[in-house]
Amino acid sequence: MSPSLLDDARRRLEMARPEAEISDEAWARLAMPRSTLKVSIPIRRDDGSLAVYAGYRVRYDSTRGPAKGGIRFHPDVGVDETTTLAFWMTFKTALMDLPFGGGKGGVAVNPKELSVAEIERISRAYIAAVADTIGPDVDVPAPDVGTGELEMGWMVDEYAKIRRQSLPAVITGKPLALGGIPGRSSATSDGAFHVIQALGERLTGGAEAPRVVIQGFGNAGAQLASLLVDAGYRVIAVSDSRAAVHDPNGLDVAKLRKHKDETGALTDPPVGREMDDPAELLTLETELLVPAALQGAIHKDNAWEIQARAVVEVANGPVTATADDILDERGIEIVPDILANAGGVTVSWFEWVQNRQGDRWKPDRVAQRLEERMVAETERVARLAEDRGIPLRTAAWVLALERLGEAMDATGTERLYGGGGKKG
Ligand code: NAD
């Protein structure tokens, strides 16, 4: 992730500011993270040697509640990337009106080069290193790129050992057996589906069997493809890191998912035609284009070629700020990531509530609460965009910014203290 991602994120904020009612004080407080922790993670490798990795935990803001955000295991993890992602989480939780702030963490390591036992040692050592700065009321981590249920299980176990008590609400995305919640693994795609359905014709233009192109046939992208097919959309192309598959009449997504599960890739697909140049997938004519793989997938060099009616950002930051301007100029609607992929953190919130209540939520309750929250916030964003004639992205950042500003102002502003003012 390039440092410009933080610039990109801040630029979105700058664009939203003139539309937002926010005090100068609140704005000033958002300029830098509350805390940035860098730790060393020494572990014993399987061959007996010592390896030392760099680990990070950034708490960007916690005015609205404990910081919330994932832990990434990836060689590119660094302080800039972690800060950017924590900044992003701050606005995502505010937009969804969750009682959380924003945080993020990670270890600069390539988990693919390590054994399971080594990854367990890193997971436990990471928690030992940051234990003083996390907690159910302070900062609540979750999985991110390179981590999942397994790592969260080791981490919650390690935290319980350190604190000498069971505190499952310290981490979300845990295995069900350790206090996880049903529906967490499909939460992002379920959330994106509700957002698409709630925006309806605004995205599809009322097309019958609207066409969908999905870049990234992984956890989020493949599950979303199935949901959309079941709802009457036509998924005409999908891709992974190795291949892209196309059929203008609509792909049999179930067959493709089975093929991907069995072979690990979309190469030599049982249905559709494998595209000669996978990059062309992004420029196919379609109603919805769903980048669900990487940040920066749509940039200044391909934004002019996009032939979609709307872009739904399931990945974090898949459209660069420059591409954003181009798509905007061309009248292409963008559903911003802080809304489109917020289903994951919303179900994490349910998990945290469940753990704090010592309860077990049923799948139906999770599904219903998620739909309610996603639809309500989507409608709020769409209404604001319509009322003010601004893009959906700006509207989403305005709402998040105002919620943050309101919380900060409620803790006391210059207006309250200035001129030796008396209460009342
Ligand atoms: P994943 O690893 O399961 O899937 C990613 C997919 O993208 C894989 O199929 C991979 O092959 C494919 N891919 C990689 N490079 C590609 C390329 N150049 N072209 C086409 N495909 C490529 O990850 P995921 O959990 O599905 O997450 C996808 C995106 O959504 C990420 O940006 C992630 O940050 C974001 N996101 C995910 C969640 C979640 O809960 N899963 C929540 C919020 C945001």
Side-chain angles (χ1 to χ4, degrees):
M1 194 182 289
S2 70
S4 72
L5 199 66
L6 184 57
D7 300 337
D8 255 26
R10 285 198 200 279
R11 215 180 118 196
R12 263 86 195 235
L13 201 60
E14 297 284 350
M15 281 171 70
R17 192 181 179 189
E19 294 288 337
E21 281 182 33
I22 178 166
S23 66
D24 291 346
E25 284 194 19
W27 182 259
R29 285 205 219 177
L30 281 168
M32 63 178 93
R34 287 265 175 120
S35 83
T36 304
L37 179 68
K38 182 175 180 189
V39 292
S40 84
I41 318 267
I43 65 143
R44 188 66 55 199
R45 298 289 305 268
D46 291 344
D47 64 5
S49 65
L50 180 79
V52 184
Y53 302 97
Y56 304 87
R57 188 72 198 168
V58 174
R59 211 181 326 151
Y60 202 91
D61 189 76
S62 32
T63 314
R64 303 183 74 260
K68 186 91 196 75
I71 297 169
R72 183 170 286 200
F73 284 0
H74 191 276
D76 295 344
V77 165
V79 72
D80 285 338
E81 179 189 89
T82 312
T83 307
T84 307
L85 294 167
F87 172 90
W88 228 307
M89 285 305 296
T90 304
F91 290 89
K92 200 183 288 187
T93 56
L95 175 65
M96 297 312 292
D97 204 10
L98 310 182
F100 290 127
K104 208 78 182 189
V107 179
V109 62
N110 186 355
K112 290 183 186 146
E113 290 171 356
L114 301 179
S115 71
V116 173
E118 288 168 335
I119 295 172
E120 175 178 0
R121 277 175 230 137
I122 291 185
S123 302
R124 292 185 182 276
Y126 176 80
I127 288 302
V130 303
D132 287 341
T133 67
I134 63 169
D137 291 311
V138 188
D139 183 357
V140 184
D144 193 73
V145 174
T147 60
E149 262 187 29
L150 193 57
E151 288 78 11
M152 298 306 114
W154 290 323
M155 289 182 183
V156 78
D157 182 50
E158 189 64 24
Y159 191 73
K161 283 185 186 154
I162 292 166
R163 293 274 172 257
R164 291 184 169 275
Q165 54 185 311
S166 171
L167 288 162
V170 67
I171 280 172
T172 59
K174 301 177 292 293
L176 267 182
L178 293 177
I181 195 160
R184 177 64 183 80
S185 62
S186 63
T188 302
S189 47
D190 291 345
F193 176 72
H194 295 314
V195 172
I196 292 170
Q197 290 288 75
L199 291 169
E201 286 193 14
R202 182 171 177 141
L203 304 185
T204 63
E208 214 169 291
R211 290 164 297 178
V212 184
V213 169
I214 301 181
Q215 183 203 40
F217 203 59
N219 178 32
Q223 295 191 67
L224 179 61
S226 297
L227 292 170
L228 289 170
V229 166
D230 291 348
Y233 292 74
R234 217 171 357 133
V235 175
I236 60 164
V238 298
S239 66
D240 64 9
S241 56
R242 299 214 219 139
V245 190
H246 181 213
D247 182 346
N249 297 317
L251 291 162
D252 185 330
V253 167
K255 273 202 182 133
L256 274 180
R257 285 184 70 176
K258 187 159 176 279
H259 176 71
K260 171 110 182 161
D261 285 348
E262 284 168 3
T263 67
L266 284 172
T267 331
D268 299 325
V271 295
R273 182 185 64 81
E274 196 170 327
M275 295 173 76
D276 296 332
D277 179 6
E280 278 177 15
L281 168 127
L282 289 173
T283 61
L284 289 171
E285 195 186 310
T286 180
E287 272 73 45
L288 302 187
L289 172 60
V290 183
L294 313 160
Q295 66 272 3
I298 301 174
H299 43 76
K300 65 175 172 34
D301 298 325
N302 63 9
W304 289 105
E305 320 293 323
I306 303 293
Q307 295 192 69
R309 208 174 179 282
V311 174
V312 183
E313 294 186 321
V314 167
N316 282 317
V319 179
T320 65
T322 317
D324 220 8
D325 294 342
I326 297 169
L327 297 185
D328 214 26
E329 192 181 322
R330 298 183 54 216
I332 297 172
E333 190 90 79
I334 302 174
V335 186
D337 44 12
I338 58 170
L339 177 65
N341 69 27
V345 71
T346 303
V347 173
S348 272
W349 170 44
F350 301 158
E351 184 175 334
W352 180 80
V353 171
Q354 168 192 267
N355 294 151
R356 304 200 63 151
Q357 293 174 335
D359 199 0
R360 289 261 187 225
W361 283 32
K362 296 250 165 41
D364 285 358
R365 186 172 178 198
V366 175
Q368 187 203 338
R369 291 283 304 270
L370 177 65
E371 180 171 359
E372 278 167 16
R373 178 61 56 133
M374 296 307 301
V375 171
E377 297 308 324
T378 304
E379 287 177 347
R380 204 158 288 160
V381 170
R383 236 181 353 256
L384 187 72
E386 203 136 304
D387 288 351
R388 305 229 188 135
I390 54 178
L392 289 173
R393 187 191 309 279
T394 309
W397 283 85
V398 166
L399 275 177
L401 198 50
E402 288 185 348
R403 282 201 180 121
L404 273 159
E406 206 182 323
M408 287 174 175
D409 288 351
T411 66
T413 62
E414 193 184 352
R415 195 158 47 83
L416 177 67
Y417 304 119
K422 292 199 169 49
K423 190 171 179 284

